[in-house]
Amino acid sequence: MSEDHGHPSFDSLREIISWSSLGFGLLQTAFFLGFVFLVELKNAKRAKEKQFATPFNLLLLCGSFAELIVSVSMALAVTRRFFMIPASIALSVAEACYINYSWLRSAGIVQEEFPPFVSVWMERLVKSSSLVFLIQAIPDISIAVYGGGGGGNADPEGTIKWPDIFHQACLVVVGGVVTVFDTVLITAFWLFLRKTNVMEQGIDQHFVIIAKTGFVCCCVCYVELGLALASVVLFPRRVGLLVRSVCYAVGQFLLTPLILMKVQLYWHKKKEYSTGGG
């Protein structure tokens, strides 16, 4: 523990939050892999359905392992500042997986609800976002090497250094990108679901599942973004580091609706086949 820092309660809470997040993430990843191998692939009848390495599965798996690394690294970073580096890199990977997976699933709804230029613009945003996300790891590397208030066991009551300022700026930029992305998606979901309440026929239930689950996912993401903003506002106080730990832990729950979306889509597709609709 960090008993010598004068704030053992904050440090203990950060460790508890991170290790609890890891436990939840392990169970969630086990559920995902169990469903894929014991249900989806085992019952597949077509050759293409027996392949594990689909873009959807790879993105979910990569995002799940990245979030596990985030949780472990954040717990270790309480006493070892160096571990903020793998935490930031893994977080960037997890965010890129979220953006790409969400777009793969939701592009059809966006194309249906908005003019074509919106989809083109969103495609560019998704392609460029991965680089933007990775940039946020740079200040954590600088903080770990040169010191500052933003990472691990650094003294957050000390002088603010340039890596700290760069770190907060990166959080704002990344938060802005994700906010714009989620706002477009949640608006498209809302428009689509409102239309389903009026039309009784001709609605693709595949899209209905994506819209409903995607709406929940965007709401969870907004909570995470709110916590990220709070950590920026509270910076450089130690409570800001605690809020940041909570923010990173919420990332595990961001994967939950995406995995449930996959499960729901599988059973819907299976139902269509059994009734002759597939």
Side-chain angles (χ1 to χ4, degrees), residues 30-276:
F31 172 81
F32 165 66
L33 291 174
F35 175 79
V36 171
F37 285 104
L38 300 179
V39 178
E40 191 174 40
L41 298 184
K42 185 178 180 180
N43 298 322
K45 297 180 180 179
R46 301 180 182 181
K48 66 178 183 179
E49 294 175 346
K50 296 181 180 181
Q51 299 178 359
F52 172 79
T54 64
F56 298 115
N57 286 342
L58 291 179
L59 285 171
L60 282 179
L61 184 64
C62 184
S64 297
F65 278 117
E67 285 291 351
L68 293 178
I69 294 173
V70 170
S71 297
V72 173
S73 300
M74 287 298 291
L76 297 176
V78 174
T79 55
R80 300 173 183 84
R81 186 190 309 167
F82 167 81
F83 286 99
M84 289 304 299
I85 297 176
S88 292
I89 294 175
L91 178 65
S92 301
V93 173
E95 290 171 336
C97 290
Y98 163 73
I99 288 284
N100 282 275
Y101 183 91
S102 297
W103 179 243
L104 281 178
R105 287 294 194 195
S106 310
I109 297 178
V110 174
Q111 292 166 0
E112 184 172 327
E113 299 300 329
F114 291 117
F117 77 88
V118 176
S119 295
V120 174
W121 182 82
M122 286 286 282
E123 284 273 7
R124 293 174 181 174
L125 179 67
V126 171
K127 290 179 180 179
S128 61
S129 62
S130 298
L131 178 61
V132 175
F133 293 153
L134 284 172
I135 290 176
Q136 69 182 329
I138 296 176
D140 273 322
I141 295 174
S142 301
I143 289 170
V145 175
Y146 300 109
N153 59 356
D155 179 11
E157 314 299 340
T159 304
I160 299 177
K161 301 179 181 180
W162 73 264
D164 304 321
I165 299 173
F166 187 25
H167 177 263
Q168 303 308 306
C170 286
L171 286 178
V172 172
V173 172
V174 171
V177 171
V178 179
T179 299
V180 171
F181 178 81
D182 278 341
T183 300
V184 173
L185 287 192
I186 204 168
T187 303
F189 295 152
W190 178 76
L191 291 172
F192 180 80
L193 291 173
R194 188 179 66 169
K195 184 169 61 179
T196 62
N197 292 330
V198 178
M199 300 174 60
E200 296 182 357
Q201 296 181 345
I203 296 296
D204 190 341
Q205 291 301 313
H206 176 88
F207 280 168
V208 173
I209 293 173
I210 293 175
K212 288 182 177 180
T213 317
F215 194 93
V216 174
C217 193
C218 288
C219 290
V220 175
C221 192
Y222 279 134
V223 172
E224 186 177 10
L225 289 169
L227 289 169
L229 178 61
S231 70
V232 173
V233 173
L234 293 170
F235 175 83
R237 286 169 288 179
R238 192 167 291 269
V239 66
L241 295 177
L242 176 61
V243 174
R244 187 181 181 188
S245 295
V246 176
C247 174
Y248 283 18
V250 172
Q252 289 284 6
F253 295 96
L254 192 60
L255 288 169
T256 305
L258 297 180
I259 293 174
L260 293 178
M261 179 193 295
K262 176 182 177 61
V263 174
Q264 286 182 289
L265 289 172
Y266 169 80
W267 290 116
H268 172 68
K269 189 175 183 180
K270 189 175 180 64
K271 182 180 179 181
E272 280 189 332
Y273 283 152
S274 64
T275 57

